[in-house]
Amino acid sequence: MSAVMITRKLRKWEKLPGKNTFCCDGRVMMARQKGIFYLTLFLIIGTCSLFFAFECPYLAVHLSPAIPVFAVLLFLFVIAMLLRTSFSDPGVLPRALPEEANFIEMEIEAANGSVPSGQRPPPRIRNVQINNQIVKLKYCYTCKIFRPPRASHCSICDNCVDRFDHHCPWVGNCVGKRNYRYFYLFTLTLSLLTIYIFAFNIVHVVMRSVDQGFLSTLKETPGTVLEVLVCFFTLWSMVGLTGFHTYLISLNQTTNEDIKGSWSGKNRGQNPYSHKNIVKNCCEVLCGPTYPSVLDRRGLMQEDSPTAANSEGPCSFDNLVAQTVKTTAPLIPNEHTPDDVKPSIAAEKSSAPKDDPPLAAKLPPLASPETDAETSIVKNQ
Amino acid sequence: MATEFHNLQEMQHTASLVTKVFIQRDYSEGTVCRFQTKFPTELDNRIERALLEQTVKTLNSYYVEAEKVGGQSYLEGCLACATAYIVFLCMETRYEKVLKKISGYIQEQNEKIYAPRGLLLTDPIERGMRVLEISVFEDRGSSGSSPSSSMSSCSTAR
């Protein structure tokens, strides 16, 4: 009697570290807390539905049919931008694999020399010169990398994000290099939509009141009151936010840099990323190249197949697992770890692997086994 | 050269991984993707400096082409914006096209130059565009000649 075990090949998103949630088999990537995002969707769809139900029939007849048509187009654009911002990878930097992390550790130790025990090691900072400006690259203890310039670690999503702007709960995702322009277009078009609905609500109430009187108008279209309320409060915040981001784009700064005051105050005018020209800055941020995601979410996981590991023996897989587990042990401090705990990192050097890991696991996809098969059948005698 | 491999398949079957060398990003010109052309000392006796430099320079030029902010990127951006970015579901962006060229180039370089020397380049996109990873292999079969150089590189690496 032989038992047939069907093992499904995992996709990489299922094993990605960090606190993101994935949907549609890795195509959609969001933060964990999505409640406020649902509220945003509800407010937009709800308000627009009321507008289409109550105001549009009257305005289409008495003013112009172009009004609801334009409203529909604007509404669809807003939703598209919102979903694009929420569902896409903001520019997450994948964590360093064990070899890379070790390589960096050794470089750091070589640079620091020997630190007497009991003394805290110097902070892990690398200085680079960008356009004649010294920029400090900080080491991320969670991701085990020196963060590229303008990258920052989002504690909510537990990822380093390239050109990190901020984490937006309304959108349910981080805003970074890859989705900043969608976020900006979302705020811009939502402001326009809010102004549009607000304006035509007023027009509608005025026009109808002339015929029927104010109170009877409100009785016939009760949705108007709700819409005006929502639009009034949304308007100020959205227009303000759009204005703020327009200012940031013209200076080629991120919200993160603005909050930290990296290029303001005594550092004013020293932003090395700015082209010193508003048009050029805007063009780079809004019309620049569309960066691809470096997080391979839908790729298939490279699993150790028992046959390939034959020569090394079954213990090699355990070694590989042990090595991986060791580098993600809870001893790894992050930005919030007190300094006196950090010397433990020097002691916590992952020892060299006893044997070389199986070749099948180490070679890049160039020489990998077939990856199109979704299932592999393992016969167990 | 202590170890000679003739192709990738041979290397796969007979070689064992010794160490990995990482070429870091060069941020001197900002956040554009660019790798350092500084030659890593671990590869001193494995490959000629000029060859590696040429590879890195060519890769850098590909990335410059991908990230160029100019007429074509404006057109692409405006067209995409006008269609609410739905056009990206059917169309490949310029960056993706250049990335395909890059992966083809790396494969070709591996086959022609690096595999015969027991080295393997990994496409930077698989490492988050942070490093250019070069895997150093040693022939498992050859026992006498190479271990001394590989052992010394092992001990410095560890």
Side-chain angles (χ1 to χ4, degrees):
Chain A
M1 221 67 97
S2 59
V4 173
M5 209 165 58
I6 299 175
T7 53
R8 183 179 65 88
K9 270 210 170 166
L10 291 175
R11 289 204 186 261
K12 288 185 181 168
W13 65 264
E14 297 178 70
K15 293 291 178 192
L16 276 177
K19 295 185 192 158
N20 291 101
T21 47
F22 297 90
C23 311
C24 300
D25 201 18
R27 290 180 180 89
V28 165
M29 180 172 172
M30 290 182 77
R32 260 187 208 168
Q33 298 98 339
K34 298 186 275 286
I36 305 186
F37 166 69
Y38 292 137
L39 175 68
T40 310
L41 261 182
F42 173 73
L43 283 174
I44 297 175
I45 295 177
T47 313
C48 291
S49 313
L50 289 176
F51 182 70
F52 294 134
F54 290 111
E55 273 80 21
C56 284
Y58 184 88
L59 290 169
V61 167
H62 288 84
L63 266 187
S64 162
I67 294 172
V69 168
F70 189 69
V72 168
L73 289 175
L74 206 50
F75 166 72
L76 289 174
F77 197 84
V78 167
I79 294 292
M81 290 301 104
L82 172 63
L83 295 183
R84 191 110 198 172
T85 311
S86 304
F87 293 168
S88 55
D89 170 9
V92 170
L93 295 168
R95 298 190 184 185
L97 294 175
E99 297 97 6
E100 193 187 334
N102 286 342
F103 185 83
I104 296 177
E105 289 269 356
M106 286 185 292
E107 266 191 351
I108 294 171
E109 262 148 51
N112 286 346
S114 59
V115 180
S117 63
Q119 268 190 30
R120 50 178 88 153
R124 296 182 172 191
I125 289 187
R126 217 177 241 180
N127 287 323
V128 291
Q129 192 176 48
I130 301 177
N131 293 333
N132 299 322
Q133 177 78 18
I134 302 285
V135 174
K136 291 188 191 310
L137 303 187
K138 280 175 148 184
Y139 182 77
C140 180
Y141 287 96
T142 314
C143 303
K144 311 266 195 122
I145 57 172
F146 275 98
R147 285 187 213 123
R150 311 193 94 174
S152 189
H153 191 93
C154 174
S155 43
I156 301 174
C157 301
D158 203 23
N159 287 318
C160 270
V161 178
D162 208 352
R163 202 186 185 279
F164 180 71
D165 195 84
H166 66 287
H167 181 97
C168 184
W170 297 97
V171 148
N173 204 357
C174 285
V175 178
K177 182 167 81 170
R178 292 191 72 242
N179 62 355
Y180 185 62
R181 78 190 64 185
Y182 310 130
F183 175 75
Y184 178 73
L185 287 173
F186 167 65
T187 58
L188 182 66
T189 45
L190 186 60
S191 308
L192 291 175
L193 184 66
T194 313
I195 294 172
Y196 191 84
I197 293 181
F198 189 72
F200 280 106
N201 267 323
I202 306 291
V203 164
H204 163 261
V205 166
V206 164
M207 280 178 71
R208 235 181 179 155
S209 304
V210 163
D211 291 335
Q212 303 167 337
F214 184 66
L215 282 170
S216 116
T217 305
L218 289 184
K219 254 193 279 185
E220 256 189 63
T221 55
T224 311
V225 180
L226 213 61
E227 285 170 59
V228 167
L229 263 173
V230 172
C231 285
F232 184 74
F233 290 110
T234 311
L235 201 90
W236 297 113
S237 41
M238 290 316 297
V239 170
L241 192 64
T242 309
F244 174 63
H245 279 283
T246 311
Y247 161 76
L248 286 180
I249 288 177
S250 63
L251 291 178
N252 203 334
Q253 265 190 43
T254 62
T255 307
N256 198 20
E257 285 164 357
D258 188 72
I259 288 176
K260 286 184 181 166
S262 311
W263 314 116
S264 58
K266 61 179 168 73
N267 288 331
R268 199 177 202 88
Q270 290 173 9
N271 184 358
Y273 314 109
S274 166
H275 300 281
K276 316 285 183 210
N277 177 337
I278 290 180
V279 174
K280 269 194 179 168
N281 283 338
C282 291
C283 285
E284 189 200 296
V285 176
L286 298 175
C287 303
T290 40
Y291 299 93
S293 171
V294 295
L295 212 60
D296 185 16
R297 287 166 283 162
R298 291 183 39 80
L300 293 167
M301 287 289 290
Q302 305 273 319
E303 283 174 46
D304 285 324
S305 52
T307 48
N310 261 342
S311 50
E312 304 285 336
C315 60
S316 54
F317 182 73
D318 295 323
N319 264 349
L320 183 64
V321 170
Q323 189 185 18
T324 327
V325 165
K326 202 173 171 119
T327 48
T328 55
L331 264 182
I332 311 299
N334 55 32
E335 342 306 293
H336 308 293
T337 315
D339 278 11
D340 47 18
V341 178
K342 282 179 186 166
S344 63
I345 300 166
E348 205 264 328
K349 230 189 300 178
S350 58
S351 54
K354 314 266 176 329
D355 355 306
D356 285 332
L359 205 60
K362 281 296 174 180
L363 276 181
L366 189 44
S368 67
E370 23 73 42
T371 50
D372 25 329
E374 290 278 317
T375 57
S376 56
I377 301 173
V378 174
K379 274 214 174 114
N380 205 355
Q381 274 123 356
Chain B
M1 294 289 161
T3 45
E4 288 270 331
F5 297 96
H6 298 289
N7 54 34
L8 283 171
Q9 278 74 28
E10 189 188 292
M11 193 162 74
Q12 184 188 352
H13 289 122
T14 64
S16 63
L17 183 68
V18 170
T19 185
K20 290 191 181 184
V21 179
F22 298 94
I23 295 185
Q24 305 283 341
R25 281 271 294 269
D26 174 12
Y27 293 115
S28 57
E29 286 177 25
T31 48
V32 290
C33 186
R34 218 186 119 82
F35 289 97
Q36 291 178 356
T37 44
K38 188 175 70 131
F39 190 83
T41 46
E42 293 92 336
L43 299 178
D44 255 331
N45 54 351
R46 297 302 291 251
I47 189 165
E48 295 86 1
R49 284 182 182 239
L51 282 174
L52 184 61
E53 256 184 55
Q54 180 57 35
T55 308
V56 177
K57 282 197 175 136
T58 314
L59 280 177
N60 286 341
S61 70
Y62 274 123
Y63 287 120
V64 162
E65 183 197 329
E67 296 193 17
K68 199 156 66 106
V69 183
Q72 200 189 349
S73 78
Y74 293 158
L75 263 176
E76 201 180 57
C78 291
L79 169 72
C81 181
T83 61
Y85 296 95
I86 294 176
V87 76
F88 283 153
L89 293 172
C90 0
M91 190 182 88
E92 207 179 44
T93 66
R94 188 164 63 122
Y95 210 112
E96 283 165 0
K97 287 186 194 143
V98 176
L99 284 178
K100 284 209 170 120
K101 274 203 270 181
I102 289 173
S103 90
Y105 173 74
I106 288 183
Q107 176 138 13
E108 177 216 326
Q109 290 281 293
N110 273 332
E111 279 168 12
K112 285 198 200 147
I113 299 179
Y114 292 90
R117 290 169 172 79
L119 300 171
L120 197 68
L121 289 181
T122 305
D123 196 334
I125 193 110
E126 288 167 35
R127 297 291 178 262
M129 305 273 259
R130 276 196 318 268
V131 287
L132 178 62
E133 184 183 292
I134 304 177
S135 309
V136 182
F137 289 93
E138 206 57 68
D139 189 5
R140 220 184 277 160
S142 75
S143 46
S145 47
S146 44
S148 51
S149 58
S150 67
M151 287 312 279
S152 58
S153 69
C154 270
S155 53
T156 52
R158 278 150 179 70

